[in-house]
Amino acid sequence: MSSETYLNHPTFGLLYRVCLLDDSQELFTTLYAQRIFFLVTVGTAGITFEPISRNDSRLMLENRLRLLRRAGKYPEYEQLQAVHHKTFQ
């Protein structure tokens, strides 16, 4: 079973989910270049796409890593650590 999630952006096409940030926010990037990042929020008004910088997206992912480590969710932490390394190193 694949845990990959994709979303179609009206301008940039297919986006790939980097990680879940909280219950209503996720971090996505363009599928092929992985240069443009979006904070995707799901709310009562629908889905919103907020473009964010590479540095901001890296910080959000690192904050999520800290939360997972503090919560003792080590399998999720290790999986996200691999995503961090692949995306930002």
Side-chain angles (χ1 to χ4, degrees):
M1 182 176 175
S2 175
S3 64
E4 295 179 351
T5 302
Y6 299 94
L7 188 61
N8 194 25
H9 186 278
T11 304
F12 293 101
L14 205 55
L15 303 179
Y16 172 76
R17 184 172 81 177
V18 177
C19 73
L20 177 69
L21 297 172
D22 63 32
D23 290 339
S24 63
Q25 292 187 324
E26 299 174 74
L27 181 62
F28 279 80
T29 186
T30 51
L31 182 60
Y32 298 106
Q34 295 186 356
R35 298 280 182 215
I36 303 171
F37 292 85
F38 296 91
L39 179 61
V40 176
T41 305
V42 178
T44 57
I47 298 174
T48 59
F49 297 90
E50 179 184 344
I52 58 174
S53 71
R54 184 174 177 83
N55 281 338
D56 286 344
S57 61
R58 182 179 51 82
L59 290 173
M60 288 178 176
L61 193 147
E62 289 170 354
N63 285 337
R64 178 70 178 165
L65 281 169
R66 279 190 285 281
L67 289 172
L68 290 173
R69 188 180 65 231
R70 287 180 189 148
K73 298 180 179 180
Y74 295 109
E76 291 177 55
Y77 173 82
E78 290 173 4
Q79 189 176 34
L80 191 56
Q81 183 73 21
V83 169
H84 179 273
H85 184 71
K86 183 177 108 179
T87 306
F88 297 106
Q89 306 277 323

